Amino acid sequence: ITPAFYCAVFQGGVLEHTLGQKPQGVRDVTVRDVPLKPAALGSIKTNNYLLNCLTAMRARELGGTFGILVDEHGFIAESCVLNASFVLLDAEGSKRLVTPTFDYALNGTTVRQVLAMAERLISEGVVSGVEQRNISEEEARSAVEVFLTGGDTHVYAITHWDDTAVGSGNVGPVACKVLAMLENEAYYGTSEHLDVPYEQVTTV
């Protein structure tokens, strides 16, 4: 296998994302009859999206949007092409942001950026803590916010999960702040920004 890089550039609003707006609220469902990716595909970035497509298709059939996958141990894995994050209340009623491990999910760049922003999220009082660990489906369903991240600046807030409202049933403040911080870093930040020599890029 030879590693390669490819990039698709779209003009216009193909991804339906408008800078500065709050995250889109979506209804989603648990998808149980589409298998998780095997480790070889789940841990590397490839263009094999068959199981991703089947997950999304099944989610739509069930009245959802992207689908939420649960692993064989009962822990939340990921969505079709997005990582999941959960805002949980601790014993003192403080909000903690928790995202599943990458054992059964791609280590997405967007959710890793969210984890990298942990110190700022805490210092600004958005949450009291940020952690990455296994989270059971039962615990995840107690979340006051659930959102999916991917594509650098895409955040989708799950307002209803399997027809049950998540928290208030509206887009929550943590998801809004995370999206604002991701947008700010993407457009005005300094980390992982590279100058692309477009004059040397081959187009097809």
Side-chain angles (χ1 to χ4, degrees):
I1 299 176
T2 303
F5 171 79
Y6 67 92
C7 178
V9 179
F10 299 92
Q11 182 177 3
V14 176
L15 298 178
E16 299 182 359
H17 176 71
T18 303
L19 182 66
Q21 291 189 352
K22 70 179 183 179
Q24 179 180 348
V26 299
R27 302 178 75 96
D28 224 330
V29 295
T30 309
V31 173
R32 303 186 189 278
D33 47 3
V34 176
L36 295 175
K37 284 185 176 182
L41 292 178
S43 60
I44 60 175
K45 187 69 172 179
T46 75
N47 59 1
N48 185 336
Y49 279 86
L50 176 59
L51 291 177
N52 306 75
C53 293
L54 290 175
T55 298
M57 291 169 62
R58 184 58 175 148
R60 297 296 176 91
E61 291 175 355
L62 295 173
T65 307
F66 301 106
I68 298 174
L69 296 165
V70 181
D71 71 26
E72 59 189 19
H73 305 293
F75 296 121
I76 300 295
E78 60 180 346
S79 185
C80 60
V81 290
L82 302 149
N83 291 97
S85 295
F86 303 85
V87 180
L88 304 170
L89 298 181
D90 60 21
E92 288 73 37
S94 298
K95 295 178 179 179
R96 297 188 64 82
L97 179 60
V98 180
T99 188
T101 68
F102 298 135
D103 293 341
Y104 291 89
L106 182 71
N107 57 343
T109 56
T110 309
V111 74
R112 284 192 281 119
Q113 182 66 29
V114 174
L115 291 170
M117 297 187 303
E119 184 175 337
R120 182 177 169 191
L121 287 167
I122 295 170
S123 66
E124 294 187 12
V126 181
V127 293
S128 63
V130 177
E131 57 184 318
Q132 184 178 37
R133 61 170 173 81
N134 288 327
I135 176 171
S136 68
E137 180 181 353
E138 180 181 8
E139 183 183 16
R141 289 185 182 277
S142 70
V144 295
E145 287 188 50
V146 179
F147 57 87
L148 307 174
T149 57
D152 296 328
T153 58
H154 289 80
V155 176
Y156 298 94
I158 298 179
T159 59
H160 292 77
W161 182 4
D162 290 334
D163 291 326
T164 299
V166 176
S168 66
N170 299 303
V171 177
V174 178
C176 290
K177 184 62 176 180
V178 165
L179 176 57
M181 292 173 67
L182 287 171
E183 288 182 336
N184 184 72
E185 174 58 31
Y187 288 92
Y188 311 111
T190 58
S191 67
E192 300 186 14
H193 284 234
L194 303 173
D195 290 327
V196 178
Y198 286 102
E199 68 278 0
Q200 300 175 22
V201 174
T202 300
T203 59
V204 294

